[in-house]
């Protein structure tokens, strides 16, 4: 599993994102996740500081960014708050860019962007496969676009972080059967993991060694659903409990994706509408709600 962006790789990711943002002089930009202020400074350099608003959830972090920005001669509007709400006071924007990841694109970002404007963010989940998505906003309040490829991940926006695992349910209960899909899916191939994540969007993955056997556990804390994969004689069993069957959903989704030719993530489309929320689709006509 790949860790979210480290401080050494972040500058190059930020530059890639700014290129993908397609900013032009005269654009007004809302940035979510001020962090060190590095990407904010680049935006100010390109557009002028009067055209940049940057929202940071952590007051101390935002305060620390203000000094180096000021030392560079930039005074963008720095806002402390939950960037998932955007910043209505400064709307409308030509571009919205988030350097923290989201599970679903917030409707506020689309509402606050001008028609033909762009919203750019990494969309991911709790199995930690994510991808950069660029959406164009339409005049009817919807947005659509594509994933751009490159396996880009940032730390998730605070309100989208997973809940604590708490006490585990009785993993000896439930029903057991054989499965042909092993837990490599949860740790290996990035796109397969992304697809699995669409099928079980609230599930987290942990490994536990019990009586010398490593078990891979998928658990949706809020719903109380779980699945445990155990290696038996070179194959795998899955034991599932709680409401719904997490592993059945993952198996079905991954099987559909494979039968459609296992398309790469840069061929996936993403739409956001007021009626349906976020929908992610791969070529082949199979739609998956995220
Ligand atoms: C990867 S860092 C941003 C990097 C930054 N653009 C830079 O150039 O240094 C992600 C930032 O997003 C912030 N963040 C997390 N959730 C947020 C939210 N809901 N609203 C605004 N900022 C958030 C984090 O506190 C962190 O500073």
């Amino acid at each position: 599993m790949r860790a979210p962006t480290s401080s050494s790789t972040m500058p190059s990711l930020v530059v890639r994102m700014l290129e993908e943002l397609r900013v032009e002089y005269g654009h007004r930009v809302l940035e979510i996740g001020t962090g060190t202020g590095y990407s904010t400074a680049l935006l100010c350099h390109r557009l002028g500081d009067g055209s940049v608003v940057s929202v940071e959830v952590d007051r101390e972090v935002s305060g620390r960014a203000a000094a180096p920005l000021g030392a560079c001669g930039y005074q963008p509007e720095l806002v402390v708050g939950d960037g998932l709400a955007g910043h209505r006071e400064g709307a409308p924007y030509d571009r919205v860019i988030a350097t923290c990841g989201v599970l679903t694109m917030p409707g506020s970002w689309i509402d606050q962007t001008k028609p033909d404007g762009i919203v750019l963010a990494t969309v991911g989940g709790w199995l930690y496969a994510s991808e950069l998505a660029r959406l164009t906003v339409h005049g009817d309040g919807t947005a659509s676009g594509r994933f751009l490829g490159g396996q880009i991940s940032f730390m998730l926006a605070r309100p989208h972080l997973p809940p604590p695992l708490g006490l585990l349910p009785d993993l000896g209960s439930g029903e057991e059967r054989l499965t042909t899909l092993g837990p490599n899916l949860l740790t290996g191939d990035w796109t397969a993991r992304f697809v699995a994540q669409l099928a079980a969007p609230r599930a987290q993955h942990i490994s536990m060694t019990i009586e010398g056997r490593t078990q891979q556990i998928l658990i949706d804390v809020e719903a109380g659903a779980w699945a445990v994969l155990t290696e038996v004689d070179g194959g795998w069993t899955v034991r599932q409990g709680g409401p719904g069957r997490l592993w059945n959903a993952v198996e079905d989704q991954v099987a559909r994706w494979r039968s459609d030719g296992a398309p790469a993530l840069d061929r996936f489309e993403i739409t956001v509408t007021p009626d349906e929320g976020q929908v992610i689709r791969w070529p082949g006509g199979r739609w998956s709600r995220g």
Side-chain angles (χ1 to χ4, degrees), residues 10 33-36 38-39 55-57 81-83 99-100 154 157-159:
M10 205 187 58
T34 312
T36 61
Y38 175 70
S39 48
V55 186
E56 167 59 52
V57 75
D82 179 5
T99 53
C100 51
F154 280 105
R158 267 195 204 170

Side-chain angles (χ1 to χ4, degrees), residues 4-6 10-11 14 17 31-42 54-59 61-62 65 79-86 97-102 109 153-161:
T5 313
S6 73
M10 205 187 58
V14 162
M17 283 188 79
E31 177 190 47
I32 315 299
T34 312
T36 61
Y38 175 70
S39 48
T40 320
L42 293 178
S54 185
V55 186
E56 167 59 52
V57 75
D58 188 315
R59 183 171 296 279
V61 170
S62 178
V79 178
V80 175
D82 179 5
L84 297 184
I97 175 174
T99 53
C100 51
V102 290
W109 296 355
S153 63
F154 280 105
M155 65 170 73
L156 281 169
R158 267 195 204 170
H160 285 184
L161 288 171

Side-chain angles (χ1 to χ4, degrees), residues 4 70 99 107 112 118 124 138 145 155 178 186 204 217 246 256 264 284:
T99 53
Q112 293 172 27
I118 286 175
H138 309 296
M155 65 170 73
L178 291 170
L186 302 174
Q204 301 178 60
I217 301 164
L246 279 182
R256 279 196 295 273

Side-chain angles (χ1 to χ4, degrees), residues 73-120:
Y74 301 135
Q75 293 187 320
E77 185 176 354
L78 296 182
V79 178
V80 175
D82 179 5
L84 297 184
H87 182 60
R88 192 163 294 283
E89 294 82 342
Y93 305 97
D94 298 280
R95 300 286 186 264
V96 174
I97 175 174
T99 53
C100 51
V102 290
L103 302 179
T104 51
M105 289 279 190
S108 59
W109 296 355
I110 291 154
D111 295 346
Q112 293 172 27
T113 301
K114 294 177 188 170
D116 297 326
I118 286 175
V119 175
L120 184 80

Side-chain angles (χ1 to χ4, degrees), residues 23-209:
V23 279
E24 288 168 23
Y25 190 74
H27 279 166
R28 185 166 170 72
V29 177
L30 173 67
E31 177 190 47
I32 315 299
T34 312
T36 61
Y38 175 70
S39 48
T40 320
L42 293 178
L43 284 167
C44 291
H45 179 74
R46 179 81 170 82
L47 303 170
D49 53 5
S51 299
V52 180
V53 179
S54 185
V55 186
E56 167 59 52
V57 75
D58 188 315
R59 183 171 296 279
E60 270 188 44
V61 170
S62 178
R64 275 201 300 273
L69 280 165
C72 294
Y74 301 135
Q75 293 187 320
E77 185 176 354
L78 296 182
V79 178
V80 175
D82 179 5
L84 297 184
H87 182 60
R88 192 163 294 283
E89 294 82 342
Y93 305 97
D94 298 280
R95 300 286 186 264
V96 174
I97 175 174
T99 53
C100 51
V102 290
L103 302 179
T104 51
M105 289 279 190
S108 59
W109 296 355
I110 291 154
D111 295 346
Q112 293 172 27
T113 301
K114 294 177 188 170
D116 297 326
I118 286 175
V119 175
L120 184 80
T122 51
V123 176
W126 296 341
L127 299 183
Y128 295 102
S130 62
E131 196 53 281
L132 190 58
R134 182 174 54 216
L135 284 85
T136 300
V137 173
H138 309 296
D140 61 358
T142 65
S144 61
R146 301 189 79 87
F147 287 91
L148 300 178
Q151 301 186 355
I152 291 184
S153 63
F154 280 105
M155 65 170 73
L156 281 169
R158 267 195 204 170
H160 285 184
L161 288 171
L165 290 169
L167 269 183
L168 292 179
D170 176 7
L171 302 176
S173 61
E175 303 146 12
E176 191 172 61
R177 64 172 172 81
L178 291 170
T179 175
T180 51
L181 206 58
N184 276 352
L185 181 75
L186 302 174
T187 52
D189 181 86
W190 189 270
T191 308
R193 185 144 41 95
F194 191 94
V195 169
Q197 198 172 248
L198 294 174
R202 313 297 290 179
Q204 301 178 60
H205 170 224
I206 51 170
S207 299
M208 261 173 45
T209 303

